[in-house]
Amino acid sequence: MPNETITDLDQLISRVQSYNPNADVELVRRAYAFSEKAHAGQTRRSGEPYLQHPLAVAGVLTMLRSDVTAVAAALLHDTLEDTLATPDELEKEFGKDVVHLVDGVTKIGKIPFRNYEEKQAENFRKMVLSMADDIRVVLIKLADRLHNMRTLEHLPEARRKQIAQETLEIYAPLANRLGIGWMKNELEDLCLKALKPDAFAELKMRVAKRDEERQQYIQDVIQFVKQALTEAGLKGEVQGRPKHLYGISQKMERQAVSFDEVYDLAAIRIVTDTKMNCYAALGLIHSLWRPVPGRFKDYIAIPKSNLYQSLHTTVIGPKGERVEFQIRTEEMHRISEYGFAAHWKYKEHGTIDNQEGKAFSWLRQFVEWHQDLADNRQFMDSVKLDLFHDVVYVFTPKGLVKEMPLGSTPVDFAYAIHTEIGDRCVGAKANGKIVPLKHQLKSGDTVEILTSSTQVPHKDWLKFVRTSRAKTKIKHWLKAEQQKRSVEVGRRLLEREFKRQDLPPAQMLKSDRLLEAARKSGFDSLDELAAAIGYGRVAASEVASWLSAPVAAGAPPVAGAPVAERAPAVKDEERGVKVKGGRDLLMQLSRCCNPVPGDRIMGYITRGRGLTIHAVGCPNLDALDYDRDRLVDVEWDFTTPSTHPVKVSIVAVDKPGVLANVSSSISGAEANITRAEIATSENRKAILDFVVEVQDTAHLERVLKAIERVEGVITVRRVRAWHE
């Protein structure tokens, strides 16, 4: 079983030999002995010996059928970080391969970071870039995170939630993209347990109860299908599929349906011997029961990028109930469980052989697209975007398949082919017909990109492109263009100021004295100085004054404060935020994302309006992201208590008393309702939208939990983008 934890060395050795009888188990024994000695006396939060953690991580590696080098590295993965062991010691004892893997998963320890998020971003960057050299690095990291999630209950609540949220945003999607299905499902369920323990416990109880009630129905369907396969002369193992609690929870929230509506589906898997028999079994199922239109997906003909292959279909089964089927071969089932790990052929340093290179092009693209992003926040946001998406499959005019995130447009497709094609894109054809650049592509579309040598990227493209590659390339071009324009504007402003002060413009712009003054003020070149003037951070009049007045010996001229920073006023209602570094700026909270204390925030300098405070992740902030020079680090000032409006959207069963009970729960959580809108849908659901005043995110969480406990409430969520 995937969740079986290894507890001693003999179990680990036995597991390795079960899939690799000729494995060098002596390397594993030596790694265990080294780790045992290095971690001697150390304990985990649970009180158990620390050695149990690397042992469990190595056990997960054996579930992925990893080689002994990776298993040994898993046993040693914390030695460089948490013990006195050195890289030289490890290399002398175990060789370069093991040290390379251990170093790849070792956190960055001695570099100072401004906050937890930045440190985690840098640690994750290190791991992502290590994937280019050796996939085993990320497999060890995933195994490490899985065991930490399994033992999360021993940490304080705030830390549990922090780790679980990070796992949900990064590690579970990463396991999914690597095709390790069982690990992705277990991580997501553990995250749900940590983030919403009450909802998890209730859902687990309801699933167990419903399984008990429906067991006979599922067994009857399984027996019927087995008999039909035998009569048709088809080989096949038929079994029920395990339940994924997080998946059920997400479906309830996404479709705004109750548990009973989601859980009407029975889920069955057929594993047969050949690809041809997969299609034969599909035909048999469709001959027994009527298929549900739009519910058939062929991932055998067009596999997912993580190598997943199966036929999916939903039929109206016995007694009129819907039944979902997955049909695959034994090899497809193995890959669906273990993904890249099942398909990987190790050579030197865990590289892949040429025969399977095309199947792993996603991994190389993933690393290439992100290694040049210097900013930590942008790096993490773009990684999340590429990890966490549903996909569509579209074709080039030559018939090559491109996997794109759901919602991708022709511009995304153009940049996926080549940066220059994206930059020069003026139009597109989908299936031979001209479509707008913001047109969302569908699976099966054949896309042709139309280009022009005079076309350049547009800022408006950022509003609809979906892929991080397209966003990054467009922002890079816009930033370069804005830099050019700022230099031109800055030079014109200097010329005008020189003329005003009766200084010869052409001579002044070429003078060594101006260049010297620029360098002493922190600018490497005259272009940098001109750009700063064009951006409005330095006044042209101050620069002219450096040259018109004599400069004291040894005293460098000092550039004036940025123009945008000269407004000292701070409105009373905006005193909840302060600028890191103490600069005094005119500030306002953004109305596009409505941040509240506790949210991660970032300031953006807007000409003439001072500093606008956005929540990190706000789409509008991301659209402005290419102009990094205007971003300012800010933090909440918790010394000044205040309330902030937040919109909360609730989907509930449409029945008497729900509105009153929800309103009462909000009041009981000490929050004030300032606005309420009520609507009903045709499927007997009530949509309740409230604007409530809260003190911070902790207060908001109490309000949301209070609403969740109201009988009849299906989902409740915070709405970030709304307007007064």
Side-chain angles (χ1 to χ4, degrees), residues 193 198-209 245 259:
K193 181 180 179 181
D198 295 341
F200 174 84
E202 183 180 357
L203 193 56
K204 186 176 181 180
M205 179 191 70
R206 294 177 78 173
V207 165
K209 184 178 179 182
L245 298 184
F259 172 81

Side-chain angles (χ1 to χ4, degrees), residues 497 532-533 535-546 558-570 579 582-587 605-611 632:
E497 186 61 30
I533 295 170
Y535 274 123
R537 292 197 301 275
V538 176
S541 58
E542 285 186 84
V543 177
S545 70
W546 302 346
V558 180
V563 173
E565 295 180 12
R566 293 182 178 175
V570 180
V579 178
R583 289 184 293 175
D584 205 4
L585 297 171
L586 177 68
M587 286 184 276
I605 297 175
T606 307
R607 287 194 183 93
R609 290 184 10 223
L611 198 65
V632 176

Side-chain angles (χ1 to χ4, degrees), residues 489-708:
V489 170
R491 283 180 174 272
R492 286 202 300 270
L493 289 172
L494 270 177
E495 286 177 5
R496 189 171 66 185
E497 186 61 30
F498 288 149
K499 286 179 181 178
R500 195 179 68 80
Q501 298 197 24
D502 295 325
L503 296 170
Q507 184 180 337
M508 288 293 100
L509 286 172
K510 294 178 181 178
S511 71
D512 291 339
R513 190 174 169 193
L514 178 60
L515 180 59
E516 182 186 357
R519 286 175 175 166
K520 286 182 178 179
S521 298
F523 300 105
D524 292 334
S525 66
L526 289 179
D527 278 353
E528 278 195 23
L529 173 61
I533 295 170
Y535 274 123
R537 292 197 301 275
V538 176
S541 58
E542 285 186 84
V543 177
S545 70
W546 302 346
L547 304 181
S548 60
V551 180
V558 180
V563 173
E565 295 180 12
R566 293 182 178 175
V570 180
K571 297 179 182 178
D572 288 341
E573 64 269 26
E574 294 153 4
R575 290 186 186 276
V577 178
K578 56 186 177 181
V579 178
K580 291 184 181 178
R583 289 184 293 175
D584 205 4
L585 297 171
L586 177 68
M587 286 184 276
Q588 57 185 346
L589 294 177
S590 166
R591 293 187 181 276
C592 59
C593 53
N594 297 284
V596 301
D599 288 332
R600 290 170 55 211
I601 53 177
M602 181 69 71
Y604 185 82
I605 297 175
T606 307
R607 287 194 183 93
R609 290 184 10 223
L611 198 65
T612 304
I613 310 302
H614 292 265
V616 171
C618 171
N620 286 346
L621 184 62
D622 290 341
L624 299 167
D625 207 326
Y626 63 87
D627 193 353
R628 307 294 302 164
D629 295 321
R630 295 208 218 166
L631 292 176
V632 176
D633 282 331
V634 292
E635 59 188 10
W636 292 104
D637 182 0
F638 290 101
T639 60
T640 308
S642 58
T643 59
H644 300 261
V646 175
K647 185 174 181 180
V648 175
S649 185
I650 302 151
V651 177
V653 178
D654 186 13
K655 64 179 183 179
V658 170
L659 175 59
N661 291 339
V662 169
S663 301
S664 177
S665 69
I666 295 173
S667 300
E670 300 178 340
N672 183 43
I673 300 171
T674 61
R675 194 171 77 200
E677 294 178 4
I678 316 299
T680 56
S681 61
E682 295 179 359
N683 58 351
R684 297 183 57 79
K685 300 290 187 304
I687 294 91
L688 317 174
D689 289 335
F690 292 94
V691 175
V692 298
E693 292 183 334
V694 299
Q695 296 167 3
D696 50 31
T697 51
H699 188 195
L700 174 60
E701 185 67 22
R702 293 201 304 274
V703 172
L704 296 179
K705 283 188 175 180
I707 297 171
E708 280 180 351

Side-chain angles (χ1 to χ4, degrees), residues 268 286 388 429 437 456 486 531 556 559 586 631 655 697:
I268 292 174
H286 283 181
F388 218 160
K429 290 182 180 180
L437 289 181
V456 294
S486 295
L586 177 68
L631 292 176
K655 64 179 183 179
T697 51

Side-chain angles (χ1 to χ4, degrees), residues 8 10 80 118 126 130 175 192 246 272 303 360 429 446 469 493 517 553 581 588 669 675 693 699 713:
D8 61 53
D10 290 339
L80 293 183
E118 184 174 307
K126 181 184 178 185
S130 300
L192 180 63
Y246 179 80
T272 185
F360 296 89
K429 290 182 180 180
T446 297
R469 177 176 174 82
L493 289 172
Q588 57 185 346
R675 194 171 77 200
E693 292 183 334
H699 188 195
V713 168

Side-chain angles (χ1 to χ4, degrees), residues 217 220-221 224 288-289 315-323 325:
Y217 176 83
D220 289 346
V221 174
F224 189 84
L288 295 173
W289 298 294
V315 300
I316 306 298
K319 301 179 183 178
E321 295 196 27
R322 291 189 175 199
V323 183
F325 282 91

Side-chain angles (χ1 to χ4, degrees), residues 26-46:
E26 189 56 36
L27 176 66
V28 177
R29 292 185 191 278
R30 287 192 289 116
Y32 178 86
F34 189 99
S35 184
E36 183 178 36
K37 183 179 179 181
H39 291 294
Q42 295 180 355
T43 58
R44 303 194 81 210
R45 291 287 186 111
S46 61

